[in-house]
Amino acid sequence: QVQLVESGGGLVQPGGSLRLSCAASGSIISIISMGWYRQTPGKQRELVATITNRGTTNYADSVKGRFTISRDNAKNTVYLQMNSLKPEDTAVYYCNADLTDPWSNILDAWGQGTLVTVSS
């Protein structure tokens, strides 16, 4: 009943920028927090950045100063602006949302993932 749809991935050269978007839809009463995680083959999924419904942000040390997470509460959408991209940022990026549904359940929803490739 809840969908997260990501967009914005692709191929970019080192030093370049990309902006990811993720829109949540479906049976949603409120979204507590939204965030981005990433995963490369053979490794565990890792946190990139999160933002609460009050705007409190949290970043992985590896992306601090280069990535910016933001959110449009009215649109249930989260963004990830990625600047100064490095080859080690190459990964599948997943959107995540912690939210409540009309039945007072707290759900942990995930998007399908979008591939970001940083290469010359």
Side-chain angles (χ1 to χ4, degrees), residues 41 51 65 114:
I51 184 167
T114 185

Side-chain angles (χ1 to χ4, degrees), residues 33-64:
S33 68
M34 299 187 80
W36 292 93
Y37 293 71
R38 65 187 181 188
Q39 189 170 23
T40 54
K43 291 189 177 181
Q44 286 191 332
R45 193 171 296 185
E46 64 176 8
L47 179 145
V48 176
T50 60
I51 184 167
T52 69
N53 56 1
R54 295 188 177 186
T56 301
T57 58
N58 180 46
Y59 294 93
D61 288 342
S62 59
V63 306
K64 282 181 181 176

Side-chain angles (χ1 to χ4, degrees), residues 9-115:
L11 173 65
V12 63
Q13 292 186 341
S17 298
L18 278 177
R19 188 189 194 213
L20 305 182
S21 299
C22 171
S25 62
S27 301
I28 299 170
I29 295 298
S30 66
I31 298 180
I32 303 164
S33 68
M34 299 187 80
W36 292 93
Y37 293 71
R38 65 187 181 188
Q39 189 170 23
T40 54
K43 291 189 177 181
Q44 286 191 332
R45 193 171 296 185
E46 64 176 8
L47 179 145
V48 176
T50 60
I51 184 167
T52 69
N53 56 1
R54 295 188 177 186
T56 301
T57 58
N58 180 46
Y59 294 93
D61 288 342
S62 59
V63 306
K64 282 181 181 176
R66 300 188 299 122
F67 292 9
T68 301
I69 190 169
S70 61
R71 175 173 171 173
D72 186 332
N73 290 334
K75 296 181 179 179
N76 287 342
T77 299
V78 65
Y79 307 95
L80 185 67
Q81 178 66 44
M82 304 185 292
N83 299 329
S84 302
L85 281 160
K86 305 175 181 180
E88 50 264 43
D89 294 317
T90 296
V92 177
Y93 284 70
Y94 294 91
C95 177
N96 171 261
D98 292 330
L99 54 92
T100 56
D101 68 11
W103 302 275
S104 299
N105 297 311
I106 298 176
L107 305 179
D108 182 34
W110 290 90
Q112 80 286 353
T114 185
L115 178 62

